[in-house]
Amino acid sequence: MNPVIDVGLEGGARLCAVGPPVAVGGVQVALRRHRQTTPRLDAFGDRSTAGVLRTLVRRRANIVVSGATGAGKTTLVRSLLAECGTGADPTQRIITVEDTNELSLPPGSHTHLVRLETRPPSSEGTPTISAEDLVRTALRLRPDRIVVGEVRGDEVIALVHALNTGHRGCITTCHANSARDALERLTTLMIRAAPTWPTTVVRQQLARSIDVIIHMDRVAGQRRIADICRVTL
């Protein structure tokens, strides 16, 4: 029996449990629950910062939200998506791709929200459905915006191709210590997924695909925007 359990619960909560012999002192459990309400954009910074975020959404900028675990990346994405519905166009067809469904939104905030979730292999032989598969599928579903919960593998290639073929207003997240580190991490992921591509080409593709990197930080228990950086060649 595996002493480590990591599962997604109904409503987007995540449960991680570790038992003996891995957990020497006994069973340890952590439960991550997302808040039921979607915070307004001004909860992440001052009024001018919220204004910049609203402008980015309405101008359909391609956005990467970076930060450490628990910094508030998913929460900010939920707020940006809510802005898509209330401040931009509630009829936009938004397709989300996640490993665990966490981007829950207020009922009625979007009339065309399609939520896709990856599937791991099963002991019965059920094949894997990866994030890369779902990003490619999303392109065939007439999306107005594509939202990838987190870029961490080969799906980065499919996403960059989507951003380079006219899909605007897309959002994703990335684990990183700074906005610059996020760009370097995406570069590394692309090189790993496409080792024959020269580094200069990879960086050009990213610069042409991503408009802005928003870096989140958690200070004294508060999740705040630390940087908003424009990506240029």
Side-chain angles (χ1 to χ4, degrees):
M1 181 179 295
N2 192 341
V4 180
I5 300 174
D6 186 13
V7 296
L9 305 178
E10 185 176 357
R14 294 293 300 271
L15 172 68
C16 181
V18 185
V22 174
V24 178
V27 176
Q28 301 295 322
V29 178
L31 180 64
R32 291 181 59 192
R33 298 179 59 189
H34 291 282
R35 58 193 303 173
Q36 297 300 311
T37 58
T38 301
R40 295 171 54 89
L41 291 177
D42 53 15
F44 302 96
D46 55 25
R47 184 176 299 178
S48 63
T49 300
V52 170
L53 296 179
R54 292 189 180 96
T55 299
L56 292 174
V57 170
R58 293 174 185 177
R59 292 185 178 178
R60 299 176 64 83
N62 290 330
I63 300 171
V64 173
V65 179
S66 64
T69 300
K73 299 185 296 298
T74 301
T75 304
L76 176 59
V77 172
R78 289 172 59 196
S79 297
L80 293 172
L81 288 179
E83 183 65 25
C84 291
T86 59
D89 183 357
T91 65
Q92 290 179 353
R93 188 176 181 86
I94 299 174
I95 301 179
T96 65
V97 175
E98 301 178 85
D99 287 331
T100 300
N101 208 317
E102 297 179 323
L103 292 174
S104 57
L105 297 172
S109 60
H110 294 85
T111 57
H112 290 93
L113 178 64
V114 180
R115 304 167 73 181
L116 305 179
E117 188 176 65
T118 61
R119 185 181 68 188
S122 69
S123 57
E124 291 80 16
T126 303
T128 301
I129 299 179
S130 67
E132 182 181 9
D133 296 330
L134 293 182
V135 171
R136 296 184 188 281
T137 300
L139 296 175
R140 304 185 185 101
L141 294 176
R142 195 192 57 78
D144 291 306
R145 298 176 187 262
I146 298 174
V147 180
V148 179
E150 181 184 349
V151 174
R152 64 177 65 166
D154 291 352
E155 68 274 6
V156 66
I157 297 292
L159 180 60
V160 167
H161 279 316
L163 301 183
N164 271 329
T165 53
H167 291 85
R168 304 293 305 165
C170 299
I171 307 172
T172 189
T173 74
C174 174
H175 276 83
N177 293 324
S178 67
R180 179 180 292 275
D181 287 343
L183 196 56
E184 291 298 327
R185 176 169 170 75
L186 292 174
T187 301
T188 300
L189 289 174
M190 284 195 66
I191 292 174
R192 186 182 303 165
T196 60
W197 289 20
T199 302
T200 53
V201 173
V202 169
R203 289 176 174 166
Q204 287 174 356
Q205 291 290 316
L206 288 172
R208 291 169 179 165
S209 305
I210 302 167
D211 297 309
V212 172
I213 297 178
I214 302 173
H215 186 70
M216 297 291 297
D217 202 358
R218 184 175 182 177
V219 180
Q222 289 190 326
R223 298 171 173 87
R224 308 285 286 181
I225 292 175
D227 288 303
I228 301 178
C229 300
R230 181 182 178 186
V231 180
T232 59
L233 287 172

